[in-house]
């Protein structure tokens, strides 16, 4: 009989991750086909889905941050953002060198949920998605029907649209690495895609 290892993440962490991931996927897919509410154009249903799923994504992003800030176990803020600690940066560079060495030998780097690289990438991803969700939410409340307007609208849309391709790259990379680790049995997708009670 196959034994199942207990989940390392709390149910709330997994719920926030699932909601945010699904919201980001909907956001990116609708961005390919929506028609915005702009001068000379009438917004289509995909734009409305983009708006409301964006507001939901902002809620899940805030939930994720609250979980990260308040949890007693799991990845710490310092591990997510090692940039201001000499010792954490040293650990990160060691992980990077080890991973590059494995790649040079045509081997899959051993990067799991405890590695400094994984923590730092997750931290950057959290900042990226929060920025996208925040700028989209601000635009939702201050827009005047012209995404090309100047002032605060222009600043918000500059960041929102400018980071969109970075979000695509992050999603593809993050999901791709998770699948590779799942297939090679280094990590189960169940870690973040199960709502079962923590074992």
């Amino acid at each position: 009989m196959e034994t199942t290892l207990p989940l390392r993440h709390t149910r709330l962490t997994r719920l926030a991750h699932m909601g945010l991931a699904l919201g980001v996927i909907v956001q990116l897919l609708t961005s390919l086909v929506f028609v915005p509410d702009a001068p000379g154009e009438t917004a289509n249903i995909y734009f409305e889905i983009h708006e409301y799923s964006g507001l939901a994504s902002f809620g899940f992003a805030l939930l994720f941050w609250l979980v990260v800030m308040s949890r007693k176990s799991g990845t710490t803020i310092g591990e997510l953002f090692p940039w201001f600690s000499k010792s954490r940066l040293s650990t990160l560079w060691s992980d990077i060198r080890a991973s590059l060495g494995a790649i040079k030998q045509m081997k899959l780097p051993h990067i799991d949920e405890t590695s400094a690289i994984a923590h730092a990438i997750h931290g950057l991803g959290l900042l990226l998605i929060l920025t996208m969700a925040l700028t989209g939410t601000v635009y939702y409340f201050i827009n005047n029907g012209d995404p090309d307007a100047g002032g605060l609208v222009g600043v918000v849309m500059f960041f929102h649209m400018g980071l969109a391709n970075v979000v695509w790259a992050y999603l593809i990379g993050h999901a791709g690495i998770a699948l590779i680790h799942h297939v090679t049995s280094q990590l189960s997708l169940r870690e973040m895609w199960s709502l079962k009670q923590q074992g």
Side-chain angles (χ1 to χ4, degrees), residues 42-66:
T42 302
N44 62 9
I45 186 67
Y46 299 110
F47 184 68
E48 291 185 31
I49 293 171
H50 187 84
E51 285 185 316
Y52 294 121
S53 63
L55 295 174
S57 295
F58 182 57
F60 279 111
L62 290 180
L63 175 62
F64 213 136
W65 276 94
L66 284 172

Side-chain angles (χ1 to χ4, degrees), residues 24 27-29 31-32 50 128-129 131-132 135 157-174:
V24 168
Q27 290 282 286
L28 291 174
L29 292 178
S31 73
L32 299 175
H50 187 84
L128 172 64
I129 301 306
T131 302
M132 286 295 286
T135 53
M157 290 312 290
F158 172 80
F159 284 104
H160 193 73
M161 295 172 72
L163 291 174
N165 286 336
V166 182
V167 177
W168 272 110
Y170 184 84
L171 176 66
I172 292 167
H174 190 66

Side-chain angles (χ1 to χ4, degrees), residues 170-191:
Y170 184 84
L171 176 66
I172 292 167
H174 190 66
I177 289 171
L179 283 171
I180 290 170
H181 283 300
H182 181 78
V183 169
T184 59
S185 300
Q186 290 189 30
L187 182 71
S188 171
L189 288 179
R190 181 173 170 267
E191 271 296 318

Side-chain angles (χ1 to χ4, degrees), residues 69-183:
M69 298 289 285
S70 63
R71 65 188 174 192
K72 305 242 187 298
S73 62
T75 311
T76 66
I77 289 291
E79 290 170 321
L80 289 171
F81 306 104
W83 319 110
F84 309 105
S85 164
K86 196 172 182 179
S87 63
R88 290 192 195 283
L89 274 176
S90 176
T91 302
L92 175 60
W93 292 126
S94 294
D95 270 10
I96 291 172
R97 283 192 295 272
S99 296
L100 290 175
I103 291 169
K104 283 179 184 175
Q105 295 176 17
M106 304 300 285
K107 293 180 182 176
L108 182 67
H110 183 77
I111 299 176
D112 60 23
E113 295 258 332
T114 65
S115 75
I117 293 175
H119 293 324
I121 291 173
H122 287 151
L124 291 174
L126 277 173
L127 280 178
L128 172 64
I129 301 306
L130 178 64
T131 302
M132 286 295 286
L134 178 62
T135 53
T137 299
V138 170
Y139 177 75
Y140 177 82
F141 288 107
I142 69 168
N143 85 84
N144 56 7
D146 183 4
D148 296 320
L152 183 57
V153 171
V155 170
V156 165
M157 290 312 290
F158 172 80
F159 284 104
H160 193 73
M161 295 172 72
L163 291 174
N165 286 336
V166 182
V167 177
W168 272 110
Y170 184 84
L171 176 66
I172 292 167
H174 190 66
I177 289 171
L179 283 171
I180 290 170
H181 283 300
H182 181 78
V183 169

Side-chain angles (χ1 to χ4, degrees), residues 7-30:
L7 298 169
R8 288 176 287 183
H9 301 285
T10 65
R11 183 183 286 179
L12 193 55
T13 298
R14 285 175 274 134
L15 175 64
H17 178 269
M18 281 188 261
L20 191 55
L22 292 173
V24 168
I25 290 168
V26 171
Q27 290 282 286
L28 291 174
L29 292 178
T30 54

